[in-house]
């Protein structure tokens, strides 16, 4: 499926507000309701829209600690990466994991109840012998900018 300008605009609006009504969405993308709904259904069927979810204000639930962690593995064979990822996928506190270029292998984002929980997780991971050579932790003090949507219109101009 080749996306056009209207499809990108639909995706852009839906990622900002997944609860928008079809009539409101149609108005924003300059379509009538029926063709707009058909496009949304096609975008879902083709896998461009993979789901809808609620954005939770975690601070209202209680205090948390966010930590970015640089991880360097001892070895760099495919099996080493696979073993590490298999273990990391099971850690509920890891909310992001990125294989990166540069001076380390992975950048992980943890969200925990506090520093003690984070440290316990890291001690458990290093004791598991999953190939961690070293890691560096960066505790987030404040997050002045956090966006939940991608800049689709500038990434994919049509």
């Amino acid at each position: 499926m080749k996306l056009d300008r209207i499809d990108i605009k639909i995706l852009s609006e839906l990622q900002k507000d997944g609860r928008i009504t079809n009539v409101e969405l149609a108005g924003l993308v300059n379509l009538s309701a029926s063709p707009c709904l058909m496009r949304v259904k096609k975008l879902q069927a083709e896998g461009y829209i993979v789901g809808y979810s609620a954005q939770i204000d975690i601070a209202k639930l209680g205090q948390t600690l966010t930590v970015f962690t640089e991880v360097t593995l001892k070895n760099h064979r495919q099996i080493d990466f696979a073993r590490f990822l298999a273990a990391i996928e099971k850690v509920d506190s890891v909310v992001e994991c990125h294989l990166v270029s540069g001076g380390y292998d992975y950048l992980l984002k943890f969200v925990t109840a506090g520093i003690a929980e984070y440290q316990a997780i890291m001690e458990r991971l290093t004791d598991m012998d999953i190939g961690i050579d070293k890691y560096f932790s960066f505790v987030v003090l404040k997050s002045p900018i956090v966006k939940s949507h991608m800049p689709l219109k500038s990434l994919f101009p049509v």
Side-chain angles (χ1 to χ4, degrees):
M1 174 179 175
K2 180 88 169 115
L3 300 185
D4 64 13
R5 177 182 52 79
I6 295 172
D7 294 321
I8 297 295
K9 200 166 183 185
I10 287 171
L11 292 172
S12 182
E13 294 301 330
L14 282 175
Q15 73 174 349
K16 291 178 197 169
D17 182 5
R19 295 183 66 180
I20 191 171
T21 68
N22 183 58
V23 172
E24 291 172 314
L25 179 60
L28 289 172
V29 300
N30 298 317
L31 286 177
S32 59
S34 183
C36 183
L37 184 58
M38 287 174 38
R39 282 179 180 253
V40 170
K41 289 193 179 297
K42 189 165 187 180
L43 290 166
Q44 290 170 338
E46 294 288 329
Y48 290 98
I49 298 171
V50 295
Y52 297 89
S53 63
Q55 296 174 4
I56 309 299
D57 184 350
I58 196 82
K60 286 190 179 274
L61 297 173
Q63 191 169 350
T64 62
L65 177 76
T66 300
V67 182
F68 286 94
T69 306
E70 297 174 351
V71 176
T72 303
L73 299 182
K74 293 175 188 170
N75 298 301
H76 296 91
R77 299 167 301 185
Q78 193 62 35
I79 193 165
D80 300 310
F81 289 106
R83 183 177 61 223
F84 175 78
L85 284 176
I88 291 300
E89 284 177 342
K90 295 175 184 161
V91 180
D92 198 38
S93 296
V94 175
V95 296
E96 293 182 21
C97 174
H98 306 275
L99 178 62
V100 297
S101 63
Y104 54 95
D105 298 311
Y106 286 96
L107 178 64
L108 307 177
K109 180 180 179 182
F110 288 84
V111 178
T112 67
I115 196 71
E117 181 187 358
Y118 170 75
Q119 190 58 42
I121 292 167
M122 291 310 299
E123 287 172 1
R124 191 176 76 244
L125 289 172
T126 53
D127 288 347
M128 287 174 64
D129 192 31
I130 57 171
I132 296 175
D133 182 34
K134 60 185 174 185
Y135 69 92
F136 295 96
S137 305
F138 301 89
V139 175
V140 174
L141 302 176
K142 186 176 182 179
S143 298
I145 299 173
V146 177
K147 296 180 180 179
S148 62
H149 61 278
M150 297 293 145
L152 297 180
K153 292 177 190 174
S154 60
L155 288 172
F156 307 103
V158 270

